[in-house]
Amino acid sequence: KKSKTQRMSLPSQPEEFLDHPRPVHIEAPSIQAEVDEYLQLSVLREAAGDYTADVGSIKSEIKKRRAKGLVLTFWALVFVTVGNKIFQKLQTVPMYNYPIFLNLYTNFIYIPLSFAYIVPMIKYGTFITQDQINTPKKVFAVMGALDSLAGIMQIFAATYLSGPLVILLAQ
């Protein structure tokens, strides 16, 4: 068992990277991998008589596509966050006298749904590695307790404060 101060050391020589154990993750391909794939397709297109673009334009096209995805993800996150705050306020209007019930109900739904994702990913997926499973859970328990406390306070705030004040309180 590794001690808390002992860290996994990285290889010092480039040749050692090939034999170094890596976690099994499905990672996004690098820009160079996408360029190589595009160039392979370009060779086929060139054989058919189509135009082949240079590597610089291919890289800029890939970067633009990734930037579009990042902007789309940002706006989706903003949309979901705004919807979350609106519906949080809307749920507290008819349940004005029952904020403690709302807290309990939210936590009893949140915890099983979280484990409904984590347990299958540990058993059948590759996103959660053995190193991540072996990580001490104490830190995550503290983070979960603080997140739960923040959720409790947000429900109380949404119940007794007006809409704009709830948004400012989170800031």
Side-chain angles (χ1 to χ4, degrees), residues 37-116:
E37 181 181 342
Y38 187 85
L39 288 175
Q40 287 174 354
L41 292 174
S42 296
V43 169
L44 296 174
R45 289 185 190 141
E46 189 176 302
D50 290 344
Y51 172 73
T52 304
D54 64 312
V55 174
S57 66
I58 296 169
K59 283 185 178 181
S60 65
E61 180 182 321
I62 291 170
K63 287 180 182 179
K64 285 179 187 176
R65 189 171 27 138
R66 286 186 176 187
K68 274 186 197 176
L70 185 62
V71 169
L72 180 66
T73 303
F74 170 76
W75 284 112
L77 182 64
V78 168
F79 178 75
V80 168
T81 303
V82 169
N84 186 19
K85 287 297 177 186
I86 290 171
F87 285 114
Q88 182 184 38
K89 184 63 182 172
L90 288 176
Q91 83 176 354
T92 59
V93 171
M95 302 288 286
Y96 184 79
N97 293 324
Y98 307 104
I100 294 174
F101 170 76
L102 283 175
N103 283 320
L104 291 172
Y105 182 71
T106 303
N107 286 321
F108 280 120
I109 295 298
Y110 179 75
I111 292 170
L113 285 178
S114 295
F115 280 102

Side-chain angles (χ1 to χ4, degrees), residues 85 89 157-158 160-169:
K85 287 297 177 186
K89 184 63 182 172
Y160 298 115
L161 297 176
S162 64
L165 288 176
V166 173
I167 301 300
L168 286 175
L169 188 63

